Each structure stands twice: as structure tokens, then as C-alpha cells.
Amino acid sequence: MLALGKTNRLTVKKQVKFGFYLDGLSWGEILLPNNVAPAGLEIGSEIDVFLYLDSEDQLIATTERPKIKVGEIAQLDVVATTKVGAFVNWGLKKDLLVPFSEQQIPLKEGQKYLLYCYVDNSNRIVASSKLDRHIHKTPAHYNAGDKVNIIISEQTDIGYKAVVNNQHWGVLYKSEVFKPLRRGERMLAFIVKVRDDGKIDLRLNASTFKQALELTEQVLRKLEQNGGKLALTDKSSPELIYAAFGVSKKAYKQAIGSLYKEKKIVILDEGIILVNN
């Protein structure tokens, strides 16, 4: 099934003076202009093309790759503001519209904004800076350790808010970040867990994740062996912590912090206590 605002594989149906017509099935013939057609293209060839509407709102194909597709999030430059909204550069000849109704704050020419791309009720490809309106609308089904693509949204008091796989909200806590991150920056991350509210805890380093997961399991086993109590807190000496688990105080603090967030332990002045679920 063909999709507007996405890459589709179509078959060349015929050649004309100004380009090639592709077989759009129920959508009819779709023009691929000469200036974006690869050399050697022939009738019967299959080709991957991006489908969008040109300046006259006619369906057209291109081999150019836009900076954003329908269902994706990207940081884009505003190139103009008009009576109908703001226009951003998405890498194609016709700029992408951000309607006034989809602007979280008024967009300004020359500024960059994090935007979500979608097809509106009028069958137009448009963008929105109101991310909460468009993402995190489906349950997040991830397992601990899963590798995901993220894009940084904003810095908060607890760390960084990020969009996971263009679909869900996630959080990178301060303890997991060792360099400043920029809004719009893309990177790989790893799932720590999906919280009860559906939001996702993330880590940037796979080995760090594995070590932390192993350490939290060690702490839980030690608690079970000691009747649910352990006289080691985040204030205990590094020597005592290393003697018990062979890790740094920082690693231990992260492990018990993670268990506390998961409501598996209670941290008291005299030690940690296992919570009976």
C-alpha cells in the first residue's frame, strides 16, 4: 500500500519528454521528473521514491531524501513565516508548512525547532511543534537492554527528555550523561525499563547498562540472603562497598538508586530494606 510522505517502491510505467510516469496503482500515474531520475532508468524498472505534493498540490515522486518523513521527528530551520503558518526547510524544493494551530509557541524565521511530520485531514503533509499531541499515543513495548534511536528534546531538572524511535517519551537521567547534549541531537540509547506511566528510562552506554543490571541483581540476591536487610547505603564508605560487591561507590549508588525508583527497596540511614511486593 502506498504512503504519502514516505518512501515507496514503484515501477516505471512509461517515459515522456519531461520525466517518467510510475505506476501508482489505485493512485494513478505519478510523475518522476527528469531532474531527479537516475541515469539508465527504464520502463519496467523498480525504483524507491519519496511521494509528496508539489507547489500545485499535485502528487509527485522524487529520489531526493527529505530531512523528515511522515511519522518522524527532526529539528528543522524556519525559512519563512506567512499568514498560513511557518515554512521549514525539509530538503525538498517545496518547503514544509507548520500551521499556526500546530505551533507550541510562535515559530520565528531563522530559528530551529523540533518538529513532528504527519498527514493532516486535508491530505497535506505538514509539521507540528506540539509533540505531545502526536507522540506517546500507543503503549511502549520494549525490553530492558533493547537498542533504540533517540533524539534529544530538552534538558530538565533530572536530566534530558528524549523521543524514542519517533514514538514515545523517554528520560536520560543526569547520572547517565557525561557530556552536554543538544536539542535535536540524535544518538543510540538502551532501554532500562518502561515505567508505569508508559515513559521510558534510558541509558547511553550498553556496557554500563549491562554492568548496572548485573549489580542490581547482585544487590537483590544479597538482600534475600540477609533477610531483606543490608547495612550499606549511598553514604557508606567506598571500602565497605567494594568489599561487598567489588564495585565503586558511584556504581553502587546508581544500582540502589535504580532499585529505589523501581520501588524494590527502601533506603534508610542505617541501610537498605527489600520491599515485599
Side-chain angles (χ1 to χ4, degrees):
M1 185 176 178
L2 301 187
L4 185 64
K6 295 188 177 183
T7 299
N8 301 261
R9 172 154 285 201
L10 302 182
T11 302
V12 178
K13 191 172 182 180
K14 66 183 180 184
Q15 184 174 6
V16 293
K17 190 178 296 185
F18 44 84
F20 296 83
Y21 277 106
L22 310 179
D23 185 0
L25 304 175
S26 62
W27 290 16
E29 296 178 343
I30 303 172
L31 177 65
L32 176 69
N34 278 327
N35 66 332
V36 291
L41 191 62
E42 299 177 344
I43 295 172
S45 299
E46 290 189 340
I47 184 170
D48 290 328
V49 292
F50 180 79
L51 299 181
Y52 71 110
L53 302 178
D54 64 14
S55 56
E56 297 179 355
D57 287 335
Q58 296 297 311
L59 185 61
I60 195 165
T62 182
T63 54
E64 295 176 308
R65 294 294 178 256
K67 298 175 183 178
I68 192 172
K69 298 177 183 178
V70 166
E72 294 181 352
I73 289 172
Q75 184 162 257
L76 301 175
D77 294 295
V78 176
V79 295
T81 55
T82 70
K83 294 179 181 179
V84 296
F87 285 90
V88 296
N89 176 12
W90 64 325
L92 299 181
K93 186 176 180 181
K94 179 188 177 183
D95 295 321
L96 181 63
L97 172 66
V98 185
F100 284 119
S101 60
E102 290 294 335
Q103 297 180 26
Q104 188 73 35
I105 58 173
L107 272 56
K108 296 181 179 180
E109 186 175 338
Q111 299 292 314
K112 295 177 181 286
Y113 298 90
L114 206 59
L115 304 170
Y116 177 84
C117 184
Y118 70 103
V119 177
D120 70 7
N121 293 331
S122 301
N123 210 37
R124 301 178 303 174
I125 303 173
V126 295
S128 173
S129 62
K130 294 183 176 181
L131 301 187
D132 283 326
R133 178 178 287 184
H134 298 283
I135 68 170
H136 218 86
K137 301 302 179 185
T138 58
H141 297 299
Y142 300 100
N143 297 313
D146 284 353
K147 184 187 294 186
V148 292
N149 293 297
I150 68 169
I151 182 167
I152 301 301
S153 171
E154 60 187 291
Q155 188 171 7
T156 68
D157 292 339
I158 60 174
Y160 291 89
K161 192 175 180 181
V163 180
V164 180
N165 286 350
N166 293 302
Q167 298 179 43
H168 300 103
W169 284 119
V171 176
L172 279 168
Y173 292 99
K174 287 179 180 177
S175 60
E176 303 297 334
V177 180
F178 306 102
K179 63 176 184 177
L181 301 178
R182 302 185 309 274
R183 182 180 175 87
E185 190 171 353
R186 296 179 181 275
M187 61 195 70
L188 291 175
F190 298 85
I191 301 294
V192 176
K193 72 167 200 169
V194 179
R195 305 201 307 257
D196 292 340
D197 61 3
K199 292 187 175 64
I200 301 161
D201 289 347
L202 301 164
R203 278 198 173 97
L204 292 181
N205 188 286
S207 60
T208 300
F209 169 79
K210 184 178 179 182
Q211 292 167 4
L213 187 61
E214 290 174 351
L215 182 54
T216 56
E217 291 172 351
Q218 289 177 37
V219 172
L220 287 174
R221 284 197 299 271
K222 184 80 77 173
L223 280 164
E224 291 168 355
Q225 293 167 2
N226 291 342
K229 297 180 180 180
L230 191 60
L232 285 174
T233 70
D234 54 358
K235 295 181 176 60
S236 298
S237 71
E239 293 77 15
L240 286 174
I241 292 170
Y242 189 83
F245 294 103
V247 298
S248 68
K249 181 172 180 176
K250 179 179 179 180
Y252 180 72
K253 287 175 67 174
Q254 289 177 344
I256 65 173
S258 176
L259 290 171
Y260 177 78
K261 289 174 190 171
E262 294 173 12
K263 299 181 180 179
K264 291 183 178 179
I265 64 168
V266 174
I267 302 176
L268 304 175
D269 289 339
E270 60 271 20
I272 60 175
I273 298 175
L274 187 64
V275 173
N276 294 318
N277 294 321

